[in-house]
Amino acid sequence: MVTIEINGKPVQARPGAMLIEVADEAGITIPRFCYHKKLSVAASCRMCLVEVEKVAKPLPACATPVTEGMKVWTRSPKAIAAQRNVMEFLLINHPLDCPICDQGGECDLQEMAMGYGRDVSRFHEGKRVVASPDIGPLVATDMTRCIHCTRCVRFGEEIAGVMELGAPGRGEHMHIGTYVEKSLSSELSGNIIDLCPVGALTSRPYRYSARPWELKAHASVSPHDCVGANLHLDVRGHNVMRVRPRENDEINEVWLADRDRFSYLALAHEERLLAPQIKRDGAWQTVDWNTALTAAAQGLRSVMQNHAARQLGALAGYGATTEEFYLLQKLLRGLGSNNIDHRLRQLDLSTQEAIPAFPWLGQALADLDNLDAALLVGSNVRKEQPLVALRLRKAARGGARLMAVNPVDYDFNFPLAARRVVDPAAMSQELIAIAQSLLELNGEQAPEGFAALAAGVVVLDEHRLMARNLKDAAQAAVMVGNTVAYHPQQGALLMLASLVARLSGARFGILSEGGNSAGAWLAGAVPHRRAGGEASDSAGLDWRGMVSGGLKGYVVLNVEPELDCIDGAAARAALAAAECVVALTPYVTDAMRDYADVLLPIALFPETSGTQVNVEGRWQGFAGCTTPPGQVRPGWKVLRVLGNLCNLDGFDYDASDEVRNELEAACSAVLPSSKLVWKAPAALPTRGSGLSRIIDYPIYSVDGMVRRSAALQNTPDATAGVARLNAAMAAQYGVATAARVRVTQSGGTCVLPLVLDERVPNGCVHVPAGVATSAMLGADAVLELTAAE
Amino acid sequence: MAQANIELLTPASRAEIDTWVAKYPPERKQSAVMAALRIAQDQNAGWLTTELMDAVAAYLGMTPIAVYEVATFYSMYQLEPVGRHKINVCTNISCLLRGSEDVVKHLQQRLGIKLGETTADGRYTLKEVECLGACVNAPVAQIARQYYEQLTPELIDRIIDGLE
Ligand code: SF4
Ligand code: FES
Ligand code: FES
């Protein structure tokens, strides 16, 4: 540590730290524009000039490293004169259009002009005007306001890993732009709104809708992926006007994915269910809560009376709150059924007993920054958990060797040191080859049953490289992504990936699908475990069992099974055939009107209190910050009353905290673990002929809210569904020249635009789920593909 | 994403770019960007299309915007079609003090175009550039690879008459 003096006050500092960091830590404000603690130092704006002893000229605090005994003045006449002069230059070309600028009231330039500017400008010449390009539906541009701090450019280059904005031109003609007009494609582009210190880059959906001083910020947590990014919801009256990141260095740092930032636009979507409805003689009627809840309880009870409690089942969405999951399973189990599941995107649930209390990352999110090597298995992490990809990129910039075994050669925002892109059916062979190579490196005996699996598997140099990279790294991780969850042999892949982790000394982690999977497991929203991970008294049916068995009654919580379930067609058919379907839902769709009997409108996350448990196992509570619209009620309250009406004990909660406390007590003994006890997977199915489907949920199709955010749906990442295959496959199936193809899977057929994509391996066609166009496809291993006229 | 087409660079251009790439460490091959842009420009009648810049970006493993930044920064690169003779007049401080304004005025009159424009017959493009580093003989202009110094209206007329 060195000691320096700022404004006469001694301050301890890390040697090599920049003056501005040291001053910030000591609570001494130095004005700045281009400096940002998460970005590289540009030292271009010169707003941070300070006086340093024995130096004739003022120095930029952001680019001046501290040295022992340094004496600094941030408010001396010399420093202030320098700061005032820089401010005068910055304002020369600035339009000073604060009254019509969205940044007004929270603008660094406005604030600093108040503090350091002159009251009248001495500049009488003409100001520069810069054209404002259209860079997509999320970010509005007013480039005349830009002060060329280049934060937005550095963000793209350094943090997001896609440099889309740059500074073309020179001198007077230099400006920030894309040169070729285009929409930003980054899934993190909204962060430049926060970074821009002036009103040059602002939120497009928020434009002209509120002033910052009218807004009240409420802390919340994003439900769209397992990171649980911390949010500020800015509320005016009863409306969420915009969403900003809430700084948390352990989770999202200062960033948000666009999905977290712009999903709020779906709060007022026209498909919101605003009042309870019941179906009478095939026609829907809007009724009061009492009538609807009584009808729901009556419906469930009559299934029990006419059939049995095990004819009841519950399907929950990934984004429900932990309290909702807990009460849902308590209701079902109270009625005598263990048929409850939230894993509606998992085809293979065979290893469910081996999974510890919840799918865990195996480390803290912040630990990812320091990895030296990582193997991603079946993960498009950049689009699945954008903020995890950001940390992996940070690791890669620090020299980490990142590797992937994937069914598609996904575009990552970090370089891969090794990759294997194979047909999904061959992924287990890849893991076996890596494990085999580790066994050779370790000189270790193969675990039981492994030799039989490894017979005939060829170990390539690439596998050896992956094995060695993992083994040689001080900090290594093997992480499975969502493609594994959707995979028909998920169980085998989990076992093999965890074996690779064990043999290489790497941490094993699951990047779980959906927002609150961890909360769902802990709350007991799985058939085989009760709250706190305790085994069920008798194993209930998982969602596949519930769907294929055709139960008589279902409770559906915050999910649209026709899209959110990986076999949406089958789920929809099972619900339609049931006697009684009670849907607790924020939105109502035509499909729901068709299969449901009672519709109960429940709140979306900004409107309810609750808890999200993220992939690290961190419980993050949040409060409701707006009154729900219409007759909408928080889901936990609806479930509580349903419990009461079903005459169940233990449903007398006054606040969601009481629910959480009860559950936390049940989970008190739970220790996060990602250890899977090795059990050799049954012989792996050999690949038949025909095309197999690579399935994933596109970033803006993962849940009902995201699907209804108009701005997100207008970005390049949004898709209405296309079929992708490589040119060789297209030629083999005679569709090379077709614009559209007909895809048939499990008897369901759809017609999709064809896109030739060389990143898709042979033998496969990539068809996303979660979109209406492919919702009728089923889950069979092979599908048929023909040209559509 | 639209794939940049490296084939837009002729084999000869690529071979020449390779000689520049070879001058730098392998992980720094983007250092060859200025030479690569010049080579690309030369193969295309003196100007760079967006597609050609994308090809250079792909060839050197750069993001396109980083290449556009370079191409828009230096006045040697043309982003629109240019005349057969590109006349670059220095208007920076030394040349300004030594009468570059008259040089510009005379050229504009003689060619009937303004700075930054090209004659209708496609023969001449007139361009304003920053210091050409020949201040000692200001005012200065550059045409193709040739410098013309201590310019006067008469000298300019003679130079232009001498261009084919
Ligand atoms: S647009 Fe904003 S962030 Fe980007 S350079 Fe200009 S002022 Fe800085
Ligand atoms: S903040 Fe230091 S130069 Fe911009
Ligand atoms: S100013 Fe014209 S050559 Fe230097």
Side-chain angles (χ1 to χ4, degrees):
Chain A
M1 285 310 231
V2 297
T3 307
I4 66 164
E5 203 184 287
I6 307 181
N7 300 341
K9 197 176 115 188
V11 179
Q12 291 285 310
R14 180 173 54 80
M18 295 299 162
L19 254 176
I20 204 166
E21 298 171 58
V22 177
D24 278 353
E25 267 163 43
I28 299 164
T29 319
I30 297 175
R32 87 277 317 262
F33 290 111
C34 67
Y35 173 77
H36 189 280
K37 61 181 176 189
K38 297 285 180 189
L39 301 175
S40 67
V41 171
S44 59
C45 75
R46 301 278 136 173
M47 191 61 219
C48 64
L49 292 175
V50 294
E51 181 178 354
V52 178
E53 189 192 38
K54 296 200 204 96
V55 182
K57 291 200 287 181
L59 294 179
C62 69
T64 305
V66 294
T67 51
E68 180 62 42
M70 195 176 215
K71 285 203 172 98
V72 182
W73 293 273
T74 68
R75 304 291 295 146
S76 65
K78 192 165 160 186
I80 290 183
Q83 292 158 358
R84 276 169 65 98
N85 290 338
V86 169
M87 178 51 76
E88 187 174 14
F89 270 119
L90 283 171
L91 290 181
I92 277 181
N93 274 316
H94 192 76
L96 300 176
D97 57 346
C98 310
I100 54 149
C101 174
D102 266 352
Q103 194 85 354
E106 55 182 2
C107 174
D108 291 352
L109 187 64
Q110 203 178 35
E111 276 166 32
M112 273 180 258
M114 285 295 291
Y116 304 88
R118 296 163 186 271
D119 42 6
V120 246
S121 169
R122 295 184 293 173
F123 184 75
H124 299 294
E125 290 74 8
K127 290 191 183 232
R128 185 180 110 108
V129 175
V130 181
S132 298
D134 181 348
I135 56 170
L138 306 181
V139 183
T141 64
D142 293 275
M143 299 319 286
T144 303
R145 298 177 186 148
C146 169
I147 57 164
H148 300 167
C149 71
T150 70
R151 281 186 187 180
C152 55
V153 178
R154 281 175 285 150
F155 173 78
E157 197 176 353
E158 296 163 14
I159 308 290
V162 266
M163 187 180 168
E164 295 181 289
L165 289 171
R170 172 176 182 172
E172 170 93 338
H173 303 286
M174 191 269 243
H175 61 276
I176 300 295
T178 48
Y179 187 72
V180 184
E181 190 152 304
K182 62 171 198 134
S183 285
L184 300 183
S185 67
S186 166
E187 62 290 344
L188 299 156
S189 63
N191 292 300
I192 60 179
I193 298 168
D194 304 330
L195 285 173
C196 183
V198 299
L201 303 173
T202 50
S203 165
R204 196 154 171 184
Y206 168 74
R207 198 163 177 85
Y208 302 146
S209 64
R211 282 302 198 179
W213 54 85
E214 301 170 324
L215 302 174
K216 188 162 181 332
H218 295 264
S220 194
V221 177
S222 171
H224 304 300
D225 65 33
C226 62
V227 171
N230 288 195
L231 311 174
H232 270 312
L233 306 178
D234 280 346
V235 175
R236 184 179 64 188
H238 294 307
N239 298 312
V240 177
M241 303 306 292
R242 65 174 178 181
V243 173
R244 289 175 300 127
R246 179 158 53 94
E247 184 168 350
N248 186 339
D249 245 10
E250 293 173 355
I251 300 177
N252 51 307
E253 303 177 79
V254 297
W255 315 121
L256 281 187
D258 292 346
R259 191 165 60 182
D260 306 323
R261 188 186 297 265
F262 293 106
S263 70
Y264 78 93
L265 294 164
L267 287 170
H269 193 271
E270 58 190 15
E271 283 172 359
R272 268 319 280 271
L273 176 65
L274 295 174
Q277 296 184 3
I278 57 176
K279 201 191 259 167
R280 279 209 183 110
D281 308 323
W284 282 101
Q285 287 181 353
T286 299
V287 294
D288 58 30
W289 270 104
N290 241 331
T291 314
L293 285 164
T294 314
Q298 180 55 44
L300 299 179
R301 269 207 307 265
S302 67
V303 170
M304 291 168 59
Q305 276 152 17
N306 299 343
H307 308 282
R310 32 180 182 80
Q311 279 298 328
L312 285 176
L315 302 173
Y318 286 99
T321 66
T322 310
E323 288 80 352
E324 289 167 351
F325 283 129
Y326 178 68
L327 293 182
L328 178 68
Q329 64 87 33
K330 191 169 174 179
L331 175 73
L332 261 277
R333 293 198 159 108
L335 293 172
S337 168
N338 282 316
N339 304 337
I340 166 159
D341 210 347
H342 75 283
R343 302 162 296 176
L344 309 190
R345 294 183 188 163
Q346 299 188 14
L347 282 172
D348 169 24
L349 301 149
S350 59
T351 28
Q352 65 176 18
E353 295 298 343
I355 303 258
F358 65 95
W360 188 46
L361 184 60
Q363 56 213 306
L365 283 165
D367 292 339
L368 300 176
D369 299 6
N370 303 321
L371 287 174
D372 300 305
L375 174 65
L376 291 164
V377 181
S379 168
N380 183 7
V381 63
R382 177 171 170 202
K383 302 292 176 182
E384 288 167 1
Q385 297 91 11
L387 296 171
V388 169
L390 227 157
R391 291 194 181 270
L392 291 176
R393 175 171 163 79
K394 221 194 279 181
R397 279 166 68 88
R401 290 157 185 268
L402 305 181
M403 302 165 285
V405 172
N406 264 337
V408 176
D409 195 2
Y410 292 118
D411 293 322
F412 289 129
N413 44 358
F414 43 79
L416 288 177
R419 84 187 75 201
R420 294 286 300 157
V421 177
V422 297
D423 180 335
M427 281 173 65
S428 37
Q429 265 86 331
E430 294 296 313
L431 295 176
I432 291 167
I434 301 169
Q436 176 67 44
S437 146
L438 281 163
L439 287 169
E440 286 161 18
L441 276 178
N442 294 354
E444 197 178 323
Q445 275 289 306
E448 195 185 327
F450 182 83
L453 293 171
V457 171
V458 187
V459 181
L460 304 172
D461 283 347
E462 196 83 347
H463 300 127
R464 291 195 189 92
L465 177 67
M466 289 180 168
R468 214 168 324 108
N469 282 343
L470 283 176
K471 196 171 150 53
D472 291 349
Q475 307 276 333
V478 174
M479 291 182 280
V480 299
N482 296 359
T483 317
V484 169
Y486 312 149
H487 196 286
Q489 285 103 40
Q490 174 186 216
L493 290 174
L494 284 174
M495 273 303 164
L496 292 165
S498 91
L499 176 68
V500 167
R502 180 171 71 71
L503 294 176
S504 61
R507 293 185 283 249
F508 178 63
I510 300 178
L511 288 162
S512 51
E513 76 279 16
N516 194 16
S517 221
W521 276 83
L522 289 168
V526 281
H528 61 299
R529 303 251 177 90
R530 307 174 71 96
E534 195 189 315
S536 295
D537 42 14
S538 65
L541 296 173
D542 59 36
W543 75 266
R544 295 203 76 172
M546 288 188 245
V547 163
S548 60
L551 302 183
K552 301 290 183 212
Y554 294 91
V555 182
V556 176
L557 170 69
N558 198 357
V559 66
E560 293 155 40
E562 61 276 17
L563 288 180
D564 287 321
C565 178
I566 200 158
D567 196 352
R572 187 173 170 174
L575 289 167
E579 281 172 19
C580 170
V581 175
V582 177
L584 285 72
T585 180
Y587 298 105
V588 58
T589 61
D590 287 343
M592 233 175 242
R593 283 209 179 81
D594 175 46
Y595 59 66
D597 299 282
V598 182
L599 290 169
L600 304 174
I602 59 163
L604 289 163
F605 79 94
E607 304 156 352
T608 179
S609 56
T611 303
Q612 192 255 18
V613 183
N614 80 356
V615 70
E616 307 165 289
R618 188 190 297 256
W619 293 54
Q620 302 196 93
F622 52 89
C625 64
T626 60
T627 326
Q631 299 296 307
V632 174
R633 295 287 176 269
W636 71 267
K637 288 191 181 172
V638 176
L639 288 162
R640 181 200 62 181
V641 180
L642 258 184
N644 287 330
L645 290 174
C646 290
N647 297 324
L648 296 176
D649 287 339
F651 275 85
D652 305 310
Y653 308 97
D654 288 327
S656 67
D657 282 353
E658 295 170 21
V659 183
R660 170 168 166 165
N661 293 344
E662 186 175 310
L663 173 59
E664 264 189 307
C667 293
S668 57
V670 172
L671 288 177
S673 161
S674 55
K675 198 166 155 41
L676 302 191
V677 179
W678 169 257
K679 187 165 160 279
L684 296 163
T686 46
R687 174 134 174 32
S689 58
L691 277 174
S692 62
R693 176 175 176 194
I694 296 172
I695 194 165
D696 64 8
Y697 283 77
I699 178 166
Y700 299 140
S701 303
V702 291
D703 59 46
M705 251 186 120
V706 165
R707 285 193 294 262
R708 290 181 177 84
S709 165
L712 291 177
Q713 292 308 320
N714 288 329
T715 60
D717 265 342
T719 173
V722 293
R724 293 174 182 273
L725 71 171
N726 69 35
M729 282 294 118
Q732 186 178 330
Y733 283 83
V735 297
T737 55
R740 297 154 71 75
V741 288
R742 185 179 307 281
V743 180
T744 307
Q745 186 183 22
S746 319
T749 291
C750 66
V751 173
L752 296 169
L754 171 69
V755 174
L756 296 183
D757 188 336
E758 296 311 309
R759 301 173 309 160
V760 179
N762 286 342
C764 301
V765 49
H766 181 209
V767 179
V771 293
T773 46
S774 68
M776 53 295 293
L777 299 181
D780 279 358
V782 284
L783 45 68
E784 279 155 42
L785 183 93
T786 53
E789 296 70 47
Chain B
M1 218 198 331
Q3 291 289 308
N5 186 0
I6 292 177
E7 309 281 312
L8 285 177
L9 297 167
T10 62
S13 293
R14 273 180 271 160
E16 197 180 343
I17 294 173
D18 289 342
T19 66
W20 284 89
V21 169
K23 296 184 205 276
Y24 304 103
E27 72 280 8
R28 293 283 159 78
K29 64 176 176 182
Q30 67 199 58
S31 300
V33 66
M34 294 185 60
L37 283 172
R38 177 177 52 71
I39 293 161
Q41 170 160 298
D42 285 348
Q43 77 165 53
N44 188 49
W47 72 288
L48 288 164
T49 59
T50 304
E51 292 73 26
L52 264 177
M53 291 192 275
D54 291 347
V56 167
Y59 198 69
L60 297 178
M62 300 171 70
T63 42
I65 182 74
V67 173
Y68 307 151
E69 284 182 335
V70 175
T72 54
F73 187 89
Y74 293 103
S75 54
M76 293 83 101
Y77 301 119
Q78 294 303 131
L79 304 176
E80 273 163 27
V82 283
R84 185 136 46 86
H85 303 292
K86 185 167 85 177
I87 306 173
N88 299 306
V89 187
C90 171
T91 56
N92 213 312
I93 188 73
S94 309
C95 291
L96 181 74
L97 293 173
R98 298 280 300 143
S100 64
E101 276 177 332
D102 293 336
V103 173
V104 171
K105 209 191 295 159
H106 185 77
L107 276 165
Q108 288 187 339
Q109 260 163 15
R110 159 96 201 233
L111 302 176
I113 50 172
K114 294 217 180 58
L115 281 177
E117 292 180 350
T118 299
T119 53
D121 62 4
R123 274 180 71 82
Y124 304 105
T125 295
L126 191 54
K127 217 180 156 180
E128 174 182 40
V129 295
E130 305 302 339
C131 180
L132 288 169
C135 313
V136 65
N137 287 324
V140 177
Q142 180 190 8
I143 305 171
R145 304 263 147 95
Q146 183 74 43
Y147 272 28
Y148 298 90
E149 304 174 341
Q150 292 184 331
L151 293 172
T152 59
E154 300 72 45
L155 182 55
I156 291 170
D157 282 340
R158 256 185 286 135
I159 295 166
I160 292 194
D161 292 340
L163 297 173
E164 28 79 62

